[in-house]
Amino acid sequence: MSFSLCKSQRDNDCELPSEGLASVAGGIVALGKFDALHIGHRELAIQASKVGAPSLLSFVGMAEILGWEPRAPIVAKCDRSRVLSSWAPYCGNLAPEEVQIEFSCVRHLTPRQFVEKLSKELGVIGVVAGENYRFGYKAAGDASELVRLCEEHGMRAYIISSVMDNNQDYRSMNSNDLKDRGQVSSTRVRQALAVGDMKYVSELLGRHHRLILMLKDQEERTKTSSGWRVSAPKSSLLNLPPRDGFYENCSLLFGNKNPVTCRVFMDTMHIHLETDEADPLDFETDQELHLLGIEFGDSRPDRD
């Protein structure tokens, strides 16, 4: 995990250098929001990798411009490259690149202008999108228009079917949402985290959920009869945690050390980690801040 990237997340440093945009030239871009990097997003990357060098293209700053309530990301910004690297075996041993551009730069573009930007400014040779993808000002363009406009500009467009949620217990959870047809979505991941069903979260993500904390040297560490207990305020979290409660079979990841089995308890204000191992942190550098990862096993919280 990159300390500098996580620090920039706290500093709201979202600007992408121009060479980042150049990296998609001559490649295939998957279009979407990519909040959760779930199995539906992975499928887009897989399809892109079949016809070229895969990249994910999404927008930053949408919430601020559209007046949405701020919310924690599902994947910490500094952890996204790790997740994308884990997709390489599915993508012809190519880890997808990720390019994010400011939403303010494309907000008022018509569907035609948006495709022109992809073709002329970014130099992509093709796009991959889901069947429900909308684009252009006020989401005026749909998947069929994307195909037509790409053909006009000499680009290939691949539209793939949605990856459906196979969990029958949750299949109709958003029955009042006209956009929800039972497909895997970032909304479903957030809802699964909200109820603490980590097995379901893992099914949607295609991996265990990893929570990232930025800890200070002076965070509370207590020796217990069997190991150590670490406590930190929830303000140290860089992404979305599951609901409050007690979680067993978790893994603590710190630096280059081997994962340590731990138990996690979250209350309203704090997150507490308990392990039967030796001091799992054992800070060996003079950095004031340290990154800690917690992977949740397939369980539901015990709230007793």
Side-chain angles (χ1 to χ4, degrees):
M1 291 178 289
S2 166
F3 171 77
S4 60
L5 282 176
C6 273
K7 185 175 185 299
S8 71
Q9 178 176 340
R10 281 296 176 84
D11 293 342
N12 293 319
D13 181 13
C14 297
E15 293 186 6
L16 187 77
S18 58
E19 58 266 24
L21 296 178
S23 68
V24 303
I28 306 294
V29 296
L31 303 173
K33 293 181 180 178
F34 305 115
D35 179 16
L37 295 178
H38 54 59
I39 57 175
H41 297 148
R42 188 179 68 190
E43 186 62 28
L44 291 174
I46 291 172
Q47 295 304 316
S49 70
K50 292 179 178 179
V51 289
S55 297
L56 307 184
L57 179 65
S58 58
F59 311 114
V60 295
M62 293 183 67
E64 294 85 348
I65 291 177
L66 298 178
W68 296 346
E69 182 178 347
R71 56 185 184 178
I74 294 172
V75 182
K77 183 177 180 180
C78 57
D79 197 34
R80 293 178 70 84
S81 61
R82 177 194 66 85
V83 175
L84 294 179
S85 295
S86 74
W87 290 1
Y90 301 92
C91 300
N93 292 320
L94 291 173
E97 297 282 342
E98 181 170 33
V99 176
Q100 296 178 322
I101 59 180
E102 292 291 338
F103 180 62
S104 59
C105 298
V106 299
R107 180 188 184 188
H108 294 292
L109 297 182
T110 65
R112 178 177 296 279
Q113 290 171 331
F114 176 71
V115 173
E116 287 177 350
K117 188 177 189 70
L118 294 177
S119 175
K120 297 179 180 180
E121 295 186 31
L122 274 65
V124 303
I125 63 173
V127 301
V128 178
E131 59 186 343
N132 299 320
Y133 184 70
R134 309 287 306 193
F135 68 105
Y137 185 55
K138 295 186 176 180
D142 59 13
S144 61
E145 186 169 10
L146 180 64
V147 172
R148 180 178 62 81
L149 290 172
C150 283
E151 289 177 349
E152 290 182 11
H153 288 81
M155 299 164 56
R156 291 171 287 175
Y158 305 88
I159 306 301
I160 69 170
S161 299
S162 300
V163 175
M164 303 306 291
D165 183 356
N166 293 322
N167 191 314
Q168 297 301 317
D169 293 336
Y170 292 96
R171 189 69 180 270
S172 60
M173 63 160 45
N174 296 317
S175 57
N176 294 327
D177 185 350
L178 296 179
K179 296 181 181 179
D180 191 298
R181 298 178 176 84
Q183 72 271 25
V184 173
S185 66
S186 296
T187 297
R188 285 176 178 258
V189 176
R190 287 182 178 275
Q191 291 170 331
L193 286 169
V195 298
D197 190 337
M198 303 313 294
K199 183 176 186 299
Y200 182 39
V201 171
S202 297
E203 292 172 357
L204 295 171
L205 294 179
R207 64 184 185 278
H208 292 312
H209 180 58
R210 183 176 292 191
L211 190 61
I212 306 295
L213 297 81
M214 186 174 287
L215 299 182
K216 299 179 180 178
D217 278 341
Q218 62 267 33
E219 296 297 358
E220 181 181 345
R221 283 183 286 170
T222 307
K223 186 75 171 68
T224 65
S225 59
S226 59
W228 286 84
R229 178 184 175 96
V230 179
S231 298
K234 280 188 172 179
S235 58
S236 65
L237 300 179
L238 298 185
N239 59 314
L240 186 65
R243 72 179 292 178
D244 294 346
F246 181 76
Y247 295 85
E248 296 189 275
N249 302 318
C250 298
S251 295
L252 188 154
L253 304 104
F254 179 65
N256 296 320
K257 299 181 180 181
N258 292 327
V260 173
T261 300
C262 69
R263 301 171 294 278
V264 176
F265 176 73
M266 284 182 289
D267 57 33
T268 305
M269 299 297 294
H270 292 84
I271 178 169
H272 310 277
L273 316 175
E274 294 181 348
T275 176
D276 298 331
E277 308 279 339
D279 185 354
L281 301 186
D282 189 21
F283 298 131
E284 298 174 349
T285 70
D286 56 2
Q287 291 180 344
E288 293 182 2
L289 299 174
H290 305 267
L291 296 180
L292 183 70
I294 302 169
E295 282 199 352
F296 289 81
D298 296 341
S299 63
R300 295 180 67 96
D302 180 358
R303 295 177 60 84
D304 295 334

